[in-house]
Amino acid sequence: MAVKYVKNIICGGSVLLMASCTETPVSKENAFVENLLSQMTIDEKLGQMNQVAWGDWCDMAKKGQIGSVLNITNINDIREMQRCAVEESRLGIPVLVARDVIHGYKTIFPIPLGQAATFNPEIVEKGARVSAIEASSEGIRWTFSPMVDISRDPRWGRIAESFGEDQYLSSVLGSAMVRGYQGDDLTDPTSIAACVKHFVGYGAAEGGRDYNSTYITENSLRNVYLKPFQSAAQEGALTYMTSFNDNDGIPCSANKKILKDILRKEWGFDGVVVSDWASIGEMVPHGFAHDNKEAGMQAINAGVDMEMVSGSYVAYGKELLAEKKIDIKSIDEAVRNILRVKYRLGLFENPYFENNPEILYAPEHLDAAKQAAIEGTILLKNERNVLPLDRNKVKTLAIIGPLADAPYEQMGTWVFDGEKERSVTPLTAISQMLNVSADKMDGQYKFNVVNNYSNSNKVSGTTNVIFEPGLAYSRDKNKSGIPAAVSAARRADAVVVFVGEESILSGEAHSLADISLQGAQKELIDALATTGKDIIMVVMAGRPLTIGDQIDKSAAVLYSFHPGTMGGPALAEIIFGEAVPSGKTPVTFPKMVGQIPLYYNHNMTGRPASRTETLLNEIPVEAGQTSLGCTSFYLDAGFDPLYPFGYGLSYTTFEIGAPKTDATEYNMNGVITASCVITNTGNMEATEVLQLYIRDLVGSVTRPVKELKAFERVTLKPGETKEVTFSLPVSELAFWDADMKYGVEKGDFLLWINNSSLPSESAAFKVK
Ligand code: NOJ
């Protein structure tokens, strides 16, 4: 128990009486924080602003030199460090324990990009709740998630950690994640503080190269990049992290405009801003500060409350104060923010945690992870309804590819705590599904059986499973295993090949200039295609890959952004039709890297391309300079992507009627009621994601060709019809204009309701 704080937390204690205490929670919080602040020395204040990742934690905690730690993993160390802080430091201020819990702690959910493909905020919220429950049971009360960086460049490895290219989808899902982490009551021991990152624009790194500079104009900063950050602030996110990049010459850890004017003043944020790892010190190599001291000064003056690991605040804070380069008011404000967050998390009253090993990998956590992986899997192609496979008809199944049995790789990037031994691979899950159906009915999947499988035939029930990976891992260039894979395919009547990326190929610092399949995976698909069999290609990756050729050679394609611990069972259920795919692309898939950046909600050029453009191979020799239409397209790639945003097929078919609006004119304060009729015209119950897009036809600044404004998952039985209605307040059509004023402009709009961002019939309306 935090004995020292009893006097401070009880309203009416001697010190608090002087701090005008009343019963309202906010003033109680303020009184508490002000009282504590008034007792702190400069060193203790700077200590609170210090986040460390190594060192003698207990000693530092006793001396009040740390406000937060990250990456302590041993629960006994956490407990001891907290005991030192709470029971042996002068003021007993608890330490906030942080960790990157990005898409699961032990039970690993699909990477955020895969969660985005669900278009389901409930799934995302549930995943974050599970993460919080598991992480807090080992003493973690702060995670550096969600990452809501708009990501329009699949070369950027961190696209894996994002919700994709769209600001509305990222806002809805980012807020859902914040809710999941923080729970209903912040003081609940299972609530952990969210950290919305990276503030801001990090996803726009030039050339998709991580840590690179960005050049985001204020128009797109406000209309695109800031949107999900603002929505997370409205959701009550407790903390934000500054990003590594400099935008238009200003490193984000020294950007007063975004940190003070926008985050604090415009959005009213009163939580903690933490720097990214050494991003304050890195202002020196950026060429923005001469040394760490100057970098620390810039960050404090810009409003970065806590410094992650670079130590300049504790090293130079006092000197900077003495030299009047920083102000005590800035220090006090930072410390207030930090104490406030600790107070809100109930850390002063309850600094310790109940270790609960049973909660890790709890069956309901695994079920939630499996459901997320099912809903996040996208069916990109399904010729002749090759999928789902009928387990009663498949006599011999060939399972091929380096990702079929790669328990570590399927977890994806940013997995510090998940254990590959607990991952269920597709090979394991399919084998269990076919051989041991009783296990499946219990909902229990056997673990640790992954390595029991050798490359031998498995015979049981009616299906013979042959496993021939062909390649040992995704970058493997050794083709010696390919003939055996081809032979397996020839002997089988169904061929499923699992390809993609190892987890290390995406995530932080893992950008790629070539985003096609690595190693000899293309050759593997080419060789399998020579068998004439229907190839079912399953891709597990951290980004959209340029796989047009391999898609052409496959009869069916499932895309599963690294699906996590339960990826195998999820894919097994989809492949055998126990679950129906409903995932949608949260990013545009380019045909080739040269098309990047390629995103659906771009502004229209003055010379939009049409489908009649002459492509490279059709151009006559010695064609005249002006003979090609003079529009905006690539001679070799046209202008279409491989797959557009919001795209994904189902095992059933849906018919979606033309959208209707309840009026053709709306006032500024009106609400647009838009509806459409959707029918399941196939023969399986399934879920479709209806997406509502609008276009503002003429603006005082050019507007995107389409903007997602709402979406809904609709589940229909075969033959069932539903009218689905969306209510869209006219205020949702607002944008920042050239003078950075936010509002709706009068004029004409188009509205679509469809199951992707592809063209469909529109409804027109006016705002007057
Ligand atoms: C650097 C990464 O950019 C950030 O996302 C992460 O939270 C921190 N390191 C802490 O590990």
Side-chain angles (χ1 to χ4, degrees):
M1 227 348 248
V3 194
K4 290 191 178 177
Y5 265 87
V6 174
K7 75 169 192 284
N8 292 327
I9 54 176
I10 297 171
C11 203
S14 56
V15 188
L16 282 172
L17 279 174
M18 291 188 283
S20 72
C21 177
T22 68
E23 290 304 315
T24 67
V26 172
S27 60
K28 202 171 163 190
E29 173 185 290
N30 285 346
F32 178 86
V33 166
E34 291 309 323
N35 168 48
L36 186 47
L37 188 66
S38 69
Q39 300 174 49
M40 292 172 77
T41 64
I42 298 293
D43 284 321
E44 284 163 342
K45 289 178 183 176
L46 292 169
Q48 283 303 306
M49 295 166 71
N50 190 26
Q51 184 181 55
V52 298
W54 52 75
D56 183 342
W57 291 308
C58 189
D59 186 57
M60 287 187 278
K62 280 185 197 167
K63 293 178 182 153
Q65 291 172 344
I66 46 175
S68 171
V69 291
L70 78 156
N71 297 347
I72 311 190
T73 45
N74 182 303
I75 56 173
N76 296 324
D77 289 350
I78 294 182
R79 226 179 240 124
E80 178 56 11
M81 187 259 325
Q82 196 66 297
R83 194 196 60 74
C84 292
V86 169
E87 292 170 30
E88 294 197 38
S89 73
R90 192 178 77 88
L91 291 170
I93 301 175
V95 174
L96 185 48
V97 178
R99 182 109 173 122
D100 287 288
V101 180
I102 308 296
H103 53 108
Y105 181 62
K106 292 288 184 183
T107 303
I108 300 301
F109 282 71
I111 55 171
L113 196 58
Q115 294 186 43
T118 68
F119 277 60
N120 187 346
E122 281 162 28
I123 284 275
V124 173
E125 182 175 342
K126 176 83 185 162
R129 187 86 289 272
V130 166
S131 306
I133 290 170
E134 291 193 356
S136 61
S137 80
E138 300 214 327
I140 294 154
R141 292 298 302 279
W142 186 12
T143 179
F144 300 129
S145 170
M147 184 186 107
V148 293
D149 295 315
I150 297 301
S151 307
R152 293 169 162 181
D153 192 331
R155 292 171 298 182
W156 190 49
R158 300 199 81 168
I159 195 169
E161 299 170 48
S162 79
F163 295 115
E165 73 189 28
D166 180 66
Q167 58 270 36
Y168 177 74
L169 183 64
S170 300
S171 299
V172 171
L173 301 185
S175 298
M177 219 175 227
V178 169
R179 278 199 299 281
Y181 289 133
Q182 298 194 167
D184 297 332
D185 171 7
L186 286 171
T187 62
D188 185 294
T190 70
S191 291
I192 66 177
C195 184
V196 193
K197 69 187 189 186
H198 305 83
F199 204 52
V200 60
Y202 181 43
E206 243 194 344
R209 189 156 47 80
D210 206 4
Y211 313 124
N212 208 359
S213 297
T214 62
Y215 298 92
I216 306 172
T217 62
E218 190 162 1
N219 178 318
S220 52
L221 193 65
R222 286 189 177 274
N223 283 314
V224 179
Y225 290 89
L226 285 173
K227 289 278 178 179
F229 287 93
Q230 182 170 14
S231 134
Q234 282 158 359
E235 196 61 55
L238 284 176
T239 75
Y240 277 66
M241 185 188 290
T242 58
S243 54
F244 285 124
N245 55 298
D246 63 315
N247 186 45
D248 207 10
I250 314 286
C252 292
S253 297
N255 192 326
K256 285 186 192 146
K257 177 155 184 166
I258 59 159
L259 296 175
K260 291 198 163 164
D261 300 349
I262 296 180
L263 180 63
R264 300 275 178 200
K265 289 197 196 125
E266 286 183 28
W267 301 350
F269 175 72
D270 65 358
V272 168
V273 172
V274 64
S275 74
D276 200 345
W277 184 281
S279 70
I280 295 180
E282 285 168 17
M283 291 199 275
V284 178
H286 258 302
F288 194 75
H290 290 91
D291 49 30
N292 279 348
K293 181 174 167 185
E294 190 182 344
M297 172 194 84
Q298 282 164 331
I300 290 178
N301 287 336
V304 181
D305 304 318
M306 188 180 277
E307 178 175 20
M308 192 188 287
V309 307
S310 38
S312 68
Y313 287 7
V314 275
Y316 305 108
K318 272 171 123 173
E319 267 175 60
L320 289 166
L321 272 172
E323 291 162 12
K324 301 205 177 340
K325 291 193 170 139
I326 58 171
D327 193 327
I328 188 65
K329 280 192 196 142
S330 307
I331 301 284
D332 283 350
E333 201 44 43
V335 177
R336 240 179 229 121
N337 295 334
I338 294 163
L339 297 178
R340 189 180 292 129
V341 164
K342 292 184 178 182
Y343 179 91
R344 288 184 185 166
L345 286 169
L347 276 180
F348 288 100
E349 284 177 84
N350 189 11
Y352 298 116
F353 61 97
E354 286 284 323
N355 181 221
N356 183 4
E358 278 83 61
I359 205 71
L360 308 174
Y361 302 108
E364 64 272 24
H365 296 183
L366 295 173
D367 277 352
K370 187 182 80 176
Q371 191 56 27
I374 288 174
E375 293 187 24
T377 298
I378 309 161
L379 178 66
L380 290 175
K381 181 176 180 182
N382 196 15
E383 270 175 13
R384 290 169 277 104
N385 293 332
V386 166
L387 282 174
L389 295 178
D390 181 342
R391 58 201 283 184
N392 297 315
K393 289 196 186 139
V394 177
K395 296 283 168 263
T396 303
L397 172 69
I399 297 183
I400 293 169
L403 271 295
D405 193 28
Y408 179 79
E409 310 309 345
Q410 74 182 42
M411 291 194 290
T413 185
W414 273 124
V415 174
F416 283 166
D417 303 287
E419 295 139 310
K420 69 171 183 175
E421 293 73 18
R422 303 304 295 256
S423 283
V424 187
T425 68
L427 177 68
T428 302
I430 293 173
S431 301
Q432 288 184 353
M433 175 186 271
L434 297 176
N435 301 341
V436 202
S437 54
D439 276 5
K440 164 124 202 329
M441 292 175 65
D442 286 338
Q444 298 291 319
Y445 289 93
K446 284 185 181 161
F447 299 110
N448 303 319
V449 292
V450 183
N451 299 326
N452 296 339
Y453 285 91
S454 61
N455 296 357
S456 60
N457 293 359
K458 303 264 176 265
V459 186
S460 152
T462 54
T463 307
N464 176 25
V465 176
I466 317 170
F467 173 48
E468 281 297 349
L471 300 167
Y473 57 104
S474 73
R475 285 164 298 152
D476 189 3
K477 292 188 176 134
N478 179 348
K479 298 180 203 155
S480 60
I482 294 183
V486 171
S487 152
R490 285 194 202 287
R491 282 178 284 143
D493 43 10
V495 180
V496 189
V497 54
F498 293 86
V499 292
E501 293 183 309
E502 295 150 73
S503 58
I504 195 66
L505 299 184
S506 62
E508 184 177 352
H510 301 132
S511 296
L512 285 169
D514 175 1
I515 56 168
S516 64
L517 285 172
Q518 298 285 333
Q521 294 185 93
K522 288 178 228 166
E523 287 87 337
L524 174 63
I525 302 283
D526 288 348
L528 293 173
T530 62
T531 63
K533 296 281 166 85
D534 280 336
I535 307 298
I536 296 166
M537 178 166 75
V538 183
V539 185
M540 293 193 223
R543 54 164 67 77
L545 296 171
T546 49
I547 46 169
D549 284 351
Q550 292 71 48
I551 288 178
D552 288 345
K553 288 174 181 151
S554 306
V557 179
L558 286 167
Y559 210 97
S560 181
F561 294 109
H562 290 130
T565 306
M566 295 300 278
L571 287 164
E573 291 190 15
I574 288 177
I575 290 167
F576 285 94
E578 292 186 17
V580 180
S582 59
K584 299 284 176 183
T585 50
V587 277
T588 304
F589 278 50
K591 288 191 275 200
M592 50 177 101
V593 162
Q595 291 179 298
I596 298 168
L598 189 66
Y599 49 94
Y600 85 96
N601 49 356
H602 57 88
N603 290 350
M604 191 55 100
T605 88
R607 293 186 172 194
S610 77
R611 246 148 260 283
T612 57
E613 305 304 350
T614 311
L615 296 179
L616 196 68
N617 297 330
E618 300 148 6
I619 305 171
V621 174
E622 296 197 358
Q625 167 66 27
T626 55
S627 62
L628 290 179
C630 294
T631 67
S632 182
F633 74 109
Y634 294 104
L635 288 178
D636 50 355
F639 62 92
D640 283 324
L642 185 59
Y643 292 105
F645 174 82
Y647 179 84
L649 303 170
S650 171
Y651 290 159
T652 193
T653 43
F654 293 98
E655 214 173 83
I656 301 166
K660 283 188 301 197
T661 52
D662 62 335
T664 49
E665 289 194 348
Y666 296 92
N667 294 324
M668 286 290 175
N669 54 5
V671 174
I672 303 153
T673 304
S675 61
C676 76
V677 173
I678 173 168
T679 306
N680 180 344
T681 49
N683 49 20
M684 287 181 97
E685 175 170 328
T687 300
E688 182 57 290
V689 181
L690 282 180
Q691 302 154 43
L692 185 151
Y693 296 90
I694 62 105
R695 178 168 178 193
D696 186 345
L697 291 183
V698 179
S700 62
V701 291
T702 52
R703 305 295 306 131
V705 294
K706 261 187 183 177
E707 294 176 72
L708 184 68
K709 289 291 177 190
F711 56 85
E712 193 172 323
R713 292 173 59 85
V714 185
T715 302
L716 295 174
K717 296 200 165 45
E720 190 181 348
T721 293
K722 240 186 213 169
E723 175 157 16
V724 179
T725 302
F726 293 91
S727 292
L728 182 69
V730 170
S731 57
E732 294 289 310
L733 307 174
F735 62 92
W736 294 87
D737 68 12
D739 301 322
M740 288 309 126
K741 281 209 258 20
Y742 187 68
V744 180
E745 290 183 357
K746 292 178 183 168
D748 292 313
F749 291 78
L750 290 178
L751 177 149
W752 297 263
I753 304 176
N754 197 10
N755 55 4
S756 77
S757 61
L758 282 171
S760 61
E761 216 174 309
S762 60
F765 67 88
K766 242 185 219 316
V767 173
K768 26 171 219 174

